[in-house]
Amino acid sequence: MTNAERVGWLREEIARHNHAYFLNDAPTIPDAEYDELARELRALEAAHPELRVDDSVSTKVGAPVSTVFDPVTHSEAMLSLDNVFDVEELRQWSHRVAKTLQREAELIRFVVEPKIDGLALSITFSAGRLVQAATRGDGRVGEDVTENVRTIRNVPSFLEGAGGRVEVRGEVFLAREDFLEMNRQQREVGAKEFANPRNAAAGSLRQKDPRASARRPLSFLAYQLVDLDGALDFTYYSETIRQLAEWGFLTAGESRVEEGAEAMVQRSSWFEGHRHDLLYDIDGAVIKVDDLAQRELLGFTSRAPRWAIARKFPPEERTTRLLTIEVSIGRTGRATPFAVLEPVVVAGSTVSMATLHNQDQVALKDVRPGDLVIVRKAGDVIPEVVAAVPEAGRRRAKKWTFPSRCPVCGEPLVRRGEESDTYCVNPTCPAQVHEQIVHFASRGALDIEGLGEQRVAQLIEAGLVADVADLFFLRVEQLEVLEGFGELSATSLVREIANATHAPLSRVLVGLGIRHVGPVAARELARQFHSYEAVASAPLEELEAVEGVGPVIAQSVFQYFREEESHDRVARFHEAGLALIEPRDESTLETTLAGKAVVVTGSVPGFTREQAEAAIVARGGSSPGSVSKKTYCVVVGEAPGASKLTKAEEMGVPLVGAGEFEALLRTGRWRDSLH
Ligand code: IVH
């Protein structure tokens, strides 16, 4: 291929992906591969000026404007950011900045922020009132989404003390938790899942009916204040962000002003290390020159400011070949289809299997053996197949069909009523028994050390266990003859199992694997009823009345205790001497904050103001309303108060991100302070 041909091909590819990404909210390749194409095109255009054209996709931001919403012309173009992909390129950028400013790179103030994987939004306020909101569109003209944006809970509708016209720009996104929950709901109703938080956010914001938008848990984070009247007077960008926070906008709590290029580079790497600890998904860090006068000197290229750069982190999505589709049977009998993949490294670990969730999802995604597929880590842990990548001219295998029989025990698989899941309903299915025992022994349940997947399989194989209760009757002589066991390991396993007979009821309830009963519901049930007998004989209404236990969980618990196997199992538990009670006073907390004053400003996710303060007091600390020299630290939540932050900085009191709050409660310490 000649350079001219390659450039032509790249332009077409990029335009095609742009359309899929921006207009259909359905990307066809992982972001990182898209970036790679764009980078190659720009490099070729730079090296061969004769190949440049005026309207190359390389100079365009985003996609054409759709026809669903009214067009809005932006007061100032909404530009994109240039990218760098490693520390070296980032240093080179800082040197270019330093050269233009004729200053040493170590003397420049940079702000380092998370690069949120959402979509850019501009909100205009007039005399403090929200009057218009628009998407970025092609950068010059966006879409009018005012009514939808009014339904976003953390966008203030009135800005105290903001006269005239101001524009606030930032990112609309779905918090990680909200995204996972939305996809869970999509699966439940048999709808197609969203490929990533960005697409889910875009789809949610661009709903034709604002009421539909309102049902989606969108959030907005502000990162730019555009002064439309030229009436504001700020020297630093960081001051404008503080102003935004004072007006009630969410701003990035992890942002930091850094003096000099090296500190800036280090902070950007901090984001890479903590990318999974934040509220939102990030695909990089954004670095901005803090001094607004310096920004003027640096100016813009046609697509991006020269005073800012995005450091993109390695992708968490990869493409690979799907080899076959198989079905695994879980402890509740649920049959989950999964893809066997050509091994590929995703987010630092090798993935060779990925879930396809259920029958409907395979059908919707229409992935087939032999396809090239996009794989991603969902919620950081379980890899999943996002979509198949179309390959022109390649013959595909025929559509995959869900098996009608359990691949392990051969009994028919059943799909009940409206549910999207399929089950093996044979209670003695070896796959189910295996998973139940592994779960029973797992860390979140009875925590029996030395009893993992392999040993459980061995015990079942040897005919020593067919139910969790059988574990308590194992004898050293039976174990020590098995392969891989010796007298020592056999004795130690029997001792571990004997220890587990003292486990509190809540752990046993988790271990039993009752459908829908997780650690929270188990603890509440155990606290309320104290003994196994009391939970087992509780009427439905009493179960439903327990905090954190809704009708679905109550029904499932009620039913579980009325099954014959449950009666047999508990009889054997008694015979083995299990305690099966919840100690009454296990809630004495450690006084990790004894004598320490912790000030909270802004809202800490997962806590109301009162709960956060109560949690501090319960651990021996105090939570005064203002900062003094004696303050141990200030916990900075969403929309923190500027005066507390300033005071803390003046007095040298450490600022701790809201993400550290739980660690602080547990240990009395934090890993990283903000200043
Ligand atoms: S500043 C002119 N800051 O990334 C500068 N953008 O790839 C405008 N983004 O269009 C952007 N986090 O949608 C900025 N902290 C952040 C950001 C951020 C995410 C998005 C934004 C932008 C895109 C560029």
Side-chain angles (χ1 to χ4, degrees):
M1 212 187 275
T2 65
N3 279 334
E5 281 167 350
R6 182 73 185 165
V7 164
W9 181 83
L10 285 166
R11 283 189 189 130
E12 260 174 44
E13 273 296 288
I14 292 171
R16 195 164 64 77
H17 294 311
N18 272 349
H19 192 90
Y21 187 83
F22 289 104
L23 280 190
N24 302 343
D25 297 327
T28 32
I29 53 168
D31 289 359
E33 286 174 28
Y34 175 93
D35 287 344
E36 198 46 50
L37 295 176
R39 211 159 132 88
E40 187 186 345
L41 176 58
R42 275 201 292 280
L44 279 171
E45 285 179 342
H48 305 278
E50 72 282 5
L51 297 177
R52 282 185 214 160
V53 287
D54 277 350
D55 62 343
S56 169
V57 284
S58 65
T59 60
K60 289 216 190 100
V61 179
V65 179
S66 85
T67 47
V68 180
F69 297 95
D70 289 336
V72 173
T73 304
H74 295 302
S75 60
E76 265 177 32
M78 285 184 83
L79 296 176
S80 185
L81 292 169
D82 280 332
N83 298 322
V84 293
F85 295 88
D86 58 38
V87 168
E88 235 358 88
E89 290 181 345
L90 181 57
R91 287 203 179 97
Q92 283 164 13
W93 170 79
S94 73
H95 293 146
R96 286 200 297 277
V97 167
K99 200 166 161 210
T100 311
L101 296 178
Q102 298 181 313
R103 237 168 187 272
E104 269 178 55
E106 282 313 303
L107 294 176
I108 299 171
R109 279 167 64 118
F110 296 99
V111 176
V112 188
E113 305 178 339
K115 184 170 192 310
I116 297 160
D117 200 8
L119 70 154
L121 183 76
S122 137
I123 315 177
T124 308
F125 293 84
S126 181
R129 290 192 190 286
L130 192 165
V131 291
Q132 189 170 63
T135 63
R136 181 171 67 180
D138 65 3
R140 204 178 52 80
V141 181
E143 298 164 324
D144 185 339
V145 286
T146 312
E147 293 317 310
N148 294 1
V149 168
R150 287 191 201 280
T151 69
I152 300 179
R153 276 166 283 269
N154 75 343
V155 170
S157 50
F158 183 73
L159 310 186
E160 194 73 50
R165 284 166 71 81
V166 294
E167 189 184 331
V168 177
R169 292 180 177 181
E171 202 78 353
V172 173
F173 67 96
L174 278 160
R176 188 192 301 279
E177 272 300 305
D178 294 332
F179 169 67
L180 292 177
E181 179 56 31
M182 245 174 86
N183 263 356
R184 223 172 284 138
Q185 283 172 12
Q186 291 288 104
R187 279 202 293 280
E188 232 157 60
V189 299
K192 195 165 174 163
E193 286 178 66
F194 295 101
N196 55 45
R198 188 209 167 270
N199 291 104
S204 302
L205 182 66
R206 295 166 74 247
Q207 296 280 323
K208 273 177 245 162
D209 180 357
R211 283 171 304 184
S213 257
R215 281 195 289 272
R216 305 287 178 85
L218 288 170
S219 303
F220 176 76
L221 182 140
Y223 52 62
Q224 199 181 352
L225 174 57
V226 184
D227 177 7
L228 296 174
D229 297 338
L232 302 172
D233 185 21
F234 292 106
T235 310
Y236 292 109
Y237 165 68
S238 45
E239 292 171 354
T240 67
I241 293 298
R242 214 162 264 183
Q243 172 68 72
L244 290 169
E246 245 166 63
W247 277 331
F249 286 99
L250 168 67
T251 57
E254 310 83 10
S255 285
R256 232 160 97 158
V257 180
E258 296 292 356
E259 293 281 344
E262 266 324 294
M264 170 276 280
V265 169
Q266 273 193 18
R267 183 63 184 175
S268 76
S269 299
W270 179 91
F271 277 100
E272 183 165 18
H274 288 76
R275 63 192 292 188
H276 303 305
D277 307 338
L278 310 183
L279 268 182
Y280 23 71
D281 259 6
I282 63 171
D283 56 350
V286 180
I287 298 98
K288 297 172 181 172
V289 170
D290 196 24
D291 187 316
L292 299 176
Q294 291 180 347
R295 285 192 180 190
E296 292 273 324
L297 290 171
L298 288 156
F300 299 86
T301 67
S302 62
R303 67 183 291 276
R306 286 200 189 84
W307 43 258
I309 196 88
R311 176 179 166 194
K312 289 267 201 120
F313 299 142
E316 307 245 275
E317 286 185 350
R318 286 288 160 129
T319 48
T320 187
R321 194 66 65 187
L322 189 156
L323 302 174
T324 57
I325 299 176
E326 293 181 11
V327 169
S328 73
I329 304 295
R331 71 185 149 82
T332 57
R334 185 162 71 197
T336 307
F338 66 97
V340 179
L341 306 165
E342 224 161 66
V344 61
V345 178
V346 189
S349 61
T350 304
V351 170
S352 53
M353 282 186 293
T355 181
L356 284 159
H357 298 295
N358 60 41
Q359 182 173 11
D360 295 347
Q361 289 297 318
V362 189
L364 273 169
K365 289 174 180 165
D366 188 21
V367 286
R368 309 177 189 188
D371 282 354
L372 201 57
V373 291
I374 299 176
V375 182
R376 134 186 105 200
K377 289 247 177 113
D380 301 344
V381 264
I382 318 157
E384 67 178 0
V385 173
V386 180
V389 181
E391 289 174 283
R394 187 174 187 282
R395 266 193 70 153
R396 302 178 73 199
K398 62 176 199 307
K399 229 179 162 87
W400 183 79
T401 50
F402 207 84
S404 56
R405 291 187 170 273
C406 171
V408 180
C409 71
E411 294 291 313
L413 292 174
V414 179
R415 200 169 155 173
R416 309 184 189 103
E418 301 278 278
E419 281 193 40
S420 47
D421 289 321
T422 308
Y423 288 89
C424 164
V425 291
N426 167 17
T428 60
C429 169
Q432 283 182 57
V433 172
H434 176 265
E435 294 301 317
Q436 282 161 9
I437 298 176
V438 169
H439 172 75
F440 189 73
S442 70
R443 190 158 298 163
L446 294 203
D447 195 12
I448 304 175
E449 210 174 306
L451 195 54
E453 295 262 353
Q454 271 183 359
R455 282 209 166 150
V456 171
Q458 217 180 351
L459 298 180
I460 295 176
E461 175 90 350
L464 294 175
V465 293
D467 183 90
V468 293
D470 296 336
L471 292 172
F472 298 100
F473 296 89
L474 287 170
R475 293 189 315 271
V476 175
E477 317 82 86
Q478 291 174 311
L479 296 176
E480 64 186 359
V481 294
L482 299 178
E483 208 185 312
F485 274 97
E487 194 190 327
L488 214 62
S489 52
T491 313
S492 122
L493 181 57
V494 169
R495 194 178 46 233
E496 281 289 329
I497 295 173
N499 276 342
T501 58
H502 309 298
L505 176 64
S506 49
R507 283 179 175 268
V508 178
L509 290 178
V510 171
L512 291 176
I514 306 167
R515 270 187 93 192
H516 309 298
V517 177
V520 176
R523 200 169 42 224
E524 291 305 328
L525 286 166
R527 269 204 194 137
Q528 190 77 23
F529 294 101
H530 294 293
S531 74
Y532 182 98
E533 277 61 40
V535 190
S537 59
L540 195 56
E541 312 78 72
E542 277 186 32
L543 293 170
E544 273 185 34
V546 174
E547 171 127 6
V549 177
V552 177
I553 300 182
Q555 180 61 42
S556 166
V557 172
F558 187 78
Q559 207 173 323
Y560 175 87
F561 289 112
R562 271 141 202 88
E563 281 162 12
E564 205 181 310
E565 290 101 56
S566 308
H567 290 290
D568 298 346
R569 187 173 295 131
V570 74
R572 306 203 64 217
F573 280 167
H574 281 305
E575 196 186 329
L578 265 73
L580 301 178
I581 51 162
E582 190 73 359
R584 285 204 185 248
D585 220 358
E586 45 109 50
S587 67
T588 40
L589 294 167
E590 272 189 70
T591 48
T592 45
L593 294 172
K596 290 172 178 155
V598 177
V599 173
V600 179
T601 173
S603 64
V604 178
F607 292 82
T608 62
R609 165 59 55 101
E610 291 72 28
Q611 284 169 343
E613 286 172 4
I616 294 164
V617 173
R619 285 157 183 85
S622 63
S623 186
S626 61
V627 181
S628 76
K629 277 215 178 89
K630 292 202 191 108
T631 307
Y632 179 54
C633 66
V634 176
V635 175
V636 185
E638 287 170 17
S643 65
K644 283 186 190 154
L645 294 184
T646 320
K647 212 154 169 206
E649 265 173 28
E650 278 168 13
M651 297 185 165
V653 174
L655 296 177
V656 178
E660 302 274 336
F661 187 58
E662 298 204 21
L664 178 68
L665 293 176
R666 224 175 26 249
T667 63
R669 288 186 303 275
W670 56 87
R671 287 162 298 180
D672 257 296
S673 68
L674 300 175
H675 284 278

